[in-house]
Amino acid sequence: MNSVRARTDRILDWLQRTDTDVLAMQETKCKDEQFPYERFEELGYRVAHVGLSQWNGVAIASRVGLDDVQIGFEDQPGFSKDPEVDPALEARAIGATCAGVRVWSLYVPNGRDLNDPHYTYKLDWLAKLRADAHAWATAAPEQPIALVGDWNVAPTDDDVWDPAFFEGKTHTSQPERDAFHAFTEVGYTDVVRPHAPGPGVYTYWDYTQLRFPKKQGMRIDFVLGSPAFAARVTGAEIDRNERKGKGASDHAPVIVDLDL
């Protein structure tokens, strides 16, 4: 979202135009008490949100049920830039069951720089999520599970406008890509790519350097589905047009259609 309060009108308009049942949001940038719950409720959506400050923040809005809400996954690691301060959990993961589908809204740490402690934190965060996600799918293989959100990883060269530009930077390093592909190794599938093939298909464009009109983007937002979820997918798309206009986020919505 890059601030849900700054973009509430756009979000609600988009929900109505697309007739969306469940929306996973990341980077809401507000505390729980600041989230505009009433605006969503007026349209028939229930919302689960976790936000601790003006940074991070994740939410799920659903008009088809919102049950068994869980803030954070079981082994989610925390972060502290000061080694003498205990790591603290950040508002980066929230799960809920919506019409029988277990939805996780995820905001993977950025990593910042290959030599930054945040990069190590990112890799640990992904590894712990992968282990828990594997356990969820193994314990209940009939349960459709969707890992939805901003992964801050471009898993292949086709997912960036210029691989050379990103050499030596985060998002495209081999350890990050390996961490992403580890999810497919335990049965999760990128359910969008078959319906939105690349190259040149992105979900994020930096605000600077005219990246969007120059088509210089990255594909870093994904829906990874368990086998039970992937089997129900009938279509998917990236709503690039929503990146246009006044007050747009720097990310575009990723849409998945399911067979009921």
Side-chain angles (χ1 to χ4, degrees), residues 95-228:
T97 301
C98 308
V101 177
R102 189 64 178 169
V103 178
W104 280 92
S105 181
L106 305 166
Y107 184 32
V108 176
N110 179 280
R112 298 176 183 169
D113 183 87
L114 299 185
N115 297 314
D116 194 293
H118 209 258
Y119 178 75
T120 303
Y121 166 54
K122 178 180 189 176
L123 296 178
D124 185 35
W125 204 93
L126 284 167
K128 297 291 177 56
L129 174 63
R130 178 257 190 193
D132 282 359
H134 184 209
W136 302 331
T138 301
E142 74 287 351
Q143 171 76 70
I145 303 171
L147 310 178
V148 183
D150 180 355
W151 289 73
N152 272 317
V153 179
T156 73
D157 283 352
D158 279 352
D159 297 316
V160 294
W161 63 274
D162 182 3
F165 177 84
F166 293 95
E167 188 172 349
K169 301 176 182 178
T170 60
H171 292 56
T172 61
S173 72
Q174 197 57 52
E176 290 168 286
R177 288 180 166 181
D178 289 345
F180 182 91
H181 292 306
F183 286 83
T184 65
E185 294 169 1
V186 297
Y188 286 83
T189 304
D190 174 1
V191 300
V192 178
R193 197 53 156 176
H195 302 278
V201 175
Y202 309 123
T203 65
Y204 165 84
W205 300 259
D206 195 293
Y207 284 129
T208 66
Q209 305 296 314
L210 297 175
R211 296 296 186 203
F212 183 67
K214 291 180 180 178
K215 301 182 180 180
Q216 296 176 345
M218 306 173 70
R219 191 172 75 107
I220 58 175
D221 302 89
F222 298 91
V223 178
L224 298 190
S226 67

